[in-house]
Amino acid sequence: MDPTLAGTKKRPRHPSSSSRAPTTGQCLEHDILCIIFSSLDLFDLVRCSVVCKSWNAAINKSKLLQVFYLKQKEMGFVSFSNRSTSTEHSLNMYLEDIAMERHRLALTEGLVDVDQWRGHSVGVNQCRMKRGLLLTGVGDKVIRLWSLENYKCVEEYSTPDAAPLVDFDFDESKIVGLLGTRICIWRRNGTRSIFPSCEGTFSKGLRMRYFDPEAVVGCEDGTARVFDMYSKNCSRIIRMHAGPVTCLCLSEDQLILSGSSLGTISISGLSSDQQIAKLRSRDSTDLKALCFNPRSHLLFAGSSAGNMSCWDLRTMRILWENRVSPNVLYSIQHLQNDSSTLVVGGIDGILRILNQNTGEVVSRMILEGNTSSSRDKIGVVERRKGRRLAEDTHIDSIPRTGRSPITCLAVGMKKVVTTHNWKNIRLWKFS
């Protein structure tokens, strides 16, 4: 016997750390998960419910969300105005209201972090965001689709050399682009098809919006041309304005809403081709941006003079007008189902948050410090801070190097993406 082992007691052997299976959330039993989940607040509980199928099943089976909702209702934190609505439907509405309130507070009061990365070899001025994906382009001959989780380019599409890309949109299966007088479709599987817009009978398309299965092009001659994505034909030509169509949006109830260089807004039916109404702002300046909220039926317009206007489409009456910027407004957006906040960007480079119901500017933001010229490779992320401006801060006191013109923006839950007609893309994150 080894003398060095004399007098020692034998200890039970345990499996080494290398042979022990790692502990994961899937290893926890249903009852243990329920105990853990019951200590969370409602918002964290909802976030846990979308982590994986097993957590979602545990939360739904234990009725934790419903129990939390009913407790809030008994304490008077939930309105009893709609007693006939089912508990499940009321719960969904309540959760949506909470999410929208968190989003509003983050935009108006939260801390601001800005992630910036080089997305293109030359300046780009358009972006679209849907379901965690970001599409950027116009400027070079490449459209790129980015993941907002890791800022990686997941797909890339090249445009034909014959005509410049003017505008684009996308959905789960395809990307639709406007190239001068033509429509181009890129399938997400890699194939591409191009068809002429009514054989070049109009000089130029200025704006395009896509709502499957149709794309609507706002043209220099004041018309809106409707194209069917499957037959590849121009199905309708609608006279909207006497001047060029400078901004355009579509509603889910088959309406085309367009703004013109003459300061007018025309509303027409997508299927009937009939003009429903014509609206005019008081200053009659060139309109640059339109945004429609289907939940509140409010239409917002931004002009080249920095004015914002709001109409209620149920009454066709103007609700408010406000001078929110001394310069051109290029982009207006809001989160889907959000009826409280509006995000506005323009040539002065200040990101503004507005109250949808009053037009009041509730917050203004810029990038902290001067922006540096980036020579980073595409996809390399630079982390910066955003700064909220005091009410009495004069714009001219802020160096132009710290406020690049915002040519386009897209709004997600507690985040905003901006493009600036240069190589970099910015993601503003609000916490």
Side-chain angles (χ1 to χ4, degrees):
M1 183 177 182
D2 190 340
T4 59
L5 299 179
T8 61
K9 295 182 179 179
K10 289 185 178 181
R11 296 179 180 177
R13 288 187 176 183
H14 295 284
S16 65
S17 57
S18 59
S19 61
R20 186 185 303 143
T23 302
T24 65
Q26 284 73 23
C27 299
L28 300 176
E29 295 181 357
H30 173 79
D31 292 342
I32 296 176
L33 283 174
C34 290
I35 293 172
I36 296 172
F37 290 146
S38 63
S39 63
L40 301 178
D41 64 19
L42 182 59
F43 199 74
D44 288 335
L45 195 60
V46 173
R47 295 180 68 177
C48 287
S49 69
V50 297
V51 168
C52 61
K53 291 181 179 180
S54 61
W55 285 20
N56 181 273
I59 291 172
N60 288 330
K61 188 175 181 180
S62 60
K63 304 289 185 182
L64 286 173
L65 285 172
Q66 289 86 341
V67 170
F68 198 109
Y69 168 73
L70 292 174
K71 286 182 179 179
Q72 296 289 298
K73 200 171 183 180
E74 291 173 0
M75 296 172 64
F77 295 121
V78 182
S79 172
F80 283 79
S81 58
N82 195 353
R83 294 178 181 272
S84 61
T85 305
S86 66
T87 300
E88 182 177 355
H89 182 69
S90 298
L91 172 62
N92 291 336
M93 293 175 61
Y94 179 55
L95 294 177
E96 183 178 301
D97 288 343
I98 288 179
M100 291 303 103
E101 179 63 13
R102 292 286 184 104
H103 174 70
R104 183 191 67 81
L105 290 173
L107 289 185
T108 57
E109 302 177 13
L111 298 176
V112 187
D113 293 312
V114 183
D115 288 347
Q116 177 177 283
W117 72 98
R118 181 182 172 187
H120 293 262
S121 58
V122 300
V124 295
N125 57 21
Q126 293 288 330
C127 62
R128 303 286 183 269
M129 178 165 54
K130 293 178 182 178
R131 299 185 179 182
L133 293 174
L134 174 71
L135 190 67
T136 59
V138 183
D140 55 7
K141 294 290 183 179
V142 176
I143 304 174
R144 289 194 169 100
L145 192 66
W146 306 88
S147 167
L148 289 180
E149 290 185 0
N150 52 24
Y151 309 117
K152 299 295 184 183
C153 179
V154 294
E155 294 171 19
E156 184 176 289
Y157 306 88
S158 60
T159 63
D161 293 330
L165 181 66
V166 178
D167 207 349
F168 57 82
D169 206 345
F170 77 108
D171 60 18
E172 294 84 357
S173 61
K174 58 185 168 296
I175 294 168
V176 181
L178 170 64
L179 295 91
T181 60
R182 298 181 297 167
I183 299 290
C184 186
I185 301 174
W186 293 267
R187 300 289 177 183
R188 297 285 297 276
N189 61 10
T191 60
R192 185 183 74 189
S193 61
I194 304 174
F195 59 93
S197 305
C198 208
E199 289 74 43
T201 55
F202 64 96
S203 58
K204 189 178 182 182
L206 302 178
R207 291 289 182 268
M208 187 211 70
R209 289 296 179 266
Y210 166 68
F211 195 85
D212 193 60
E214 294 172 313
V216 179
V217 178
C219 304
E220 198 172 44
D221 61 3
T223 62
R225 303 187 179 232
V226 183
F227 297 92
D228 183 88
M229 295 291 96
Y230 299 100
S231 67
K232 298 186 177 181
N233 291 321
C234 177
S235 58
R236 289 178 295 285
I237 302 176
I238 306 170
R239 170 60 61 181
M240 304 293 286
H241 302 279
V245 176
T246 54
C247 45
L248 185 70
C249 63
L250 306 178
S251 73
E252 295 180 356
D253 51 353
Q254 300 288 296
L255 291 180
I256 303 175
L257 307 105
S258 65
S260 76
S261 59
L262 304 176
T264 58
I265 294 175
S266 180
I267 304 173
S268 299
L270 185 59
S271 56
S272 65
D273 302 350
Q274 295 181 353
Q275 187 176 89
I276 297 172
K278 180 158 282 191
L279 310 174
R280 180 181 291 274
S281 58
R282 295 191 180 104
D283 64 350
S284 298
T285 54
D286 183 10
L287 295 180
K288 292 294 187 182
L290 278 183
C291 179
F292 176 64
N293 190 335
R295 184 170 186 175
S296 60
H297 302 281
L298 298 184
L299 175 66
F300 308 95
S303 77
S304 58
N307 293 312
M308 284 280 299
S309 305
C310 172
W311 291 266
D312 188 335
L313 294 194
R314 292 166 295 190
T315 61
M316 297 300 175
R317 289 187 173 184
I318 193 165
L319 296 184
W320 52 260
E321 279 191 311
N322 190 17
R323 184 89 183 273
V324 303
S325 170
N327 302 107
V328 183
L329 300 176
Y330 286 131
S331 190
I332 309 167
Q333 293 294 331
H334 63 83
L335 184 66
Q336 185 179 10
N337 296 331
D338 178 16
S339 56
S340 60
T341 56
L342 199 64
V343 186
V344 180
I347 197 171
D348 63 6
I350 295 178
L351 193 67
R352 291 175 171 86
I353 311 299
L354 272 64
N355 184 319
Q356 286 192 28
N357 300 302
T358 65
E360 175 192 5
V361 179
V362 294
S363 184
R364 299 183 301 165
M365 286 154 286
I366 61 170
L367 196 64
E368 184 79 296
N370 295 334
T371 56
S372 57
S373 58
S374 175
R375 295 184 180 179
D376 294 333
K377 295 181 180 180
I378 287 177
V380 177
V381 179
E382 178 186 1
R383 304 196 183 278
R384 308 287 292 275
K385 290 289 183 182
R387 175 166 65 93
R388 295 188 187 271
L389 300 177
E391 290 185 15
D392 58 352
T393 303
H394 199 277
I395 294 177
D396 292 337
S397 66
I398 305 170
R400 289 185 178 273
T401 53
R403 46 184 183 92
S404 304
I406 299 173
T407 58
C408 189
L409 59 85
V411 181
M413 177 62 74
K414 297 195 288 186
K415 59 180 174 284
V416 176
V417 174
T418 57
T419 56
H420 307 266
N421 203 24
W422 64 321
K423 301 175 184 179
N424 287 352
I425 303 164
R426 288 177 185 165
L427 174 62
W428 305 67
K429 299 185 295 183
F430 302 86
S431 58

